[in-house]
Amino acid sequence: PEEEREPLPKGVLLHLSFDMKSICRQDGRPYARDQSVNRNGAFMRDVEPVKGRFGTAISLDGKRSRIAGSDALLPAGTSPVSISLWFLPRKPGFQVLFTYGTAHTAGAREVSLLDPPGLCFFRWGGDDCQAENVPVTLNVWHHCVVTYDEIKRTVTFYLDGEKVGSVPGYFYTTRGGYLIGSSAGEGLFDGLIDELIVFSQVLSEND
């Protein structure tokens, strides 16, 4: 039986479940609806719906796949943010899970996998916060949460329900859209993505 999702905390600004009921065509192209009140859905190219961690997930090929949407109403400036997603990697190496903002003005925030294994949250042209030596197993589902606290200027990483790192960092973000599984053509992700959620506040370990 399909595993049930837990109730979401408040402050959801973007929610892509990738369930079949949320996938449609818009302007003649495949489109994933945003299930938050903001409706910042994403256009998709060369992706495949497959069985996911919850219902349906999206498979990216690490070559041509592209998922892109508007980051209107996502946390900008120095605002706090929490990014949560499920991912299943098929290959090792540096790969981008999610990024939003404007890269060419050093105003983008990015969550990525590292090589050797680890998690990274960084701002283009700015701080590079890493949780190193974090075991990421290929062909296995993992739950990643990254939070940024603008008051403490701290980035905290969670993997599969465990806190795996907390490091100082300062992030200023300008709007420019969001990408899933890539960043300006780099770090193309080969694997599955499910249940991507962006929150307006810093989630705690209990969340």
Side-chain angles (χ1 to χ4, degrees), residues 14 16 18 26-27 29-34 39-47 58 60 64-72 74 97-101 176-185 193 196:
L14 175 68
L16 298 178
F18 297 114
Q26 186 165 307
D27 298 330
R29 294 180 288 169
Y31 185 81
R33 294 190 184 97
D34 173 14
R39 299 294 186 262
N40 287 331
F43 286 101
M44 303 185 294
R45 184 187 73 191
D46 294 319
V47 301
I58 290 297
L60 297 93
R64 291 179 47 83
S65 295
R66 178 179 173 85
I67 303 176
S70 167
D71 64 354
L74 292 189
L97 297 174
F98 177 73
T99 184
Y100 79 93
Y178 68 81
L179 294 170
I180 300 171
S182 68
S183 176
I193 297 284
L196 169 68

Side-chain angles (χ1 to χ4, degrees), residues 25-202:
R25 296 190 71 84
Q26 186 165 307
D27 298 330
R29 294 180 288 169
Y31 185 81
R33 294 190 184 97
D34 173 14
Q35 295 179 283
S36 79
V37 296
N38 294 328
R39 299 294 186 262
N40 287 331
F43 286 101
M44 303 185 294
R45 184 187 73 191
D46 294 319
V47 301
E48 179 183 1
V50 297
K51 180 176 175 56
R53 183 65 176 77
F54 302 94
T56 306
I58 290 297
S59 176
L60 297 93
D61 63 12
K63 298 176 183 177
R64 291 179 47 83
S65 295
R66 178 179 173 85
I67 303 176
S70 167
D71 64 354
L73 301 181
L74 292 189
T78 60
S79 299
V81 66
S82 295
I83 300 168
S84 168
L85 60 89
W86 287 85
F87 69 96
L88 183 153
R90 286 190 287 246
K91 70 176 184 180
F94 168 71
Q95 299 174 83
V96 176
L97 297 174
F98 177 73
T99 184
Y100 79 93
T102 308
H104 67 269
T105 61
R109 303 181 186 188
E110 179 177 297
V111 180
S112 55
L113 301 177
L114 298 175
D115 186 18
L119 296 171
C120 179
F121 184 66
F122 86 103
R123 176 173 64 91
W124 281 70
D127 288 352
D128 186 350
C129 300
Q130 300 184 5
E132 299 177 332
N133 301 315
V134 176
V136 176
T137 306
L138 299 183
N139 299 305
V140 172
W141 280 108
H142 296 282
H143 182 216
C144 170
V145 177
V146 179
T147 70
Y148 169 60
D149 188 324
E150 89 287 8
I151 297 177
K152 297 180 180 179
R153 293 194 174 186
T154 301
V155 174
T156 303
F157 299 89
Y158 303 89
L159 187 70
D160 300 331
E162 299 292 333
K163 183 177 177 180
V164 294
S166 186
V167 294
Y170 175 75
F171 289 83
Y172 184 89
T173 306
T174 56
R175 301 202 186 283
Y178 68 81
L179 294 170
I180 300 171
S182 68
S183 176
E186 299 179 350
L188 301 179
F189 177 71
D190 184 352
L192 311 183
I193 297 284
D194 200 0
E195 203 69 20
L196 169 68
I197 310 173
V198 178
F199 299 88
S200 62
Q201 78 271 17
V202 180

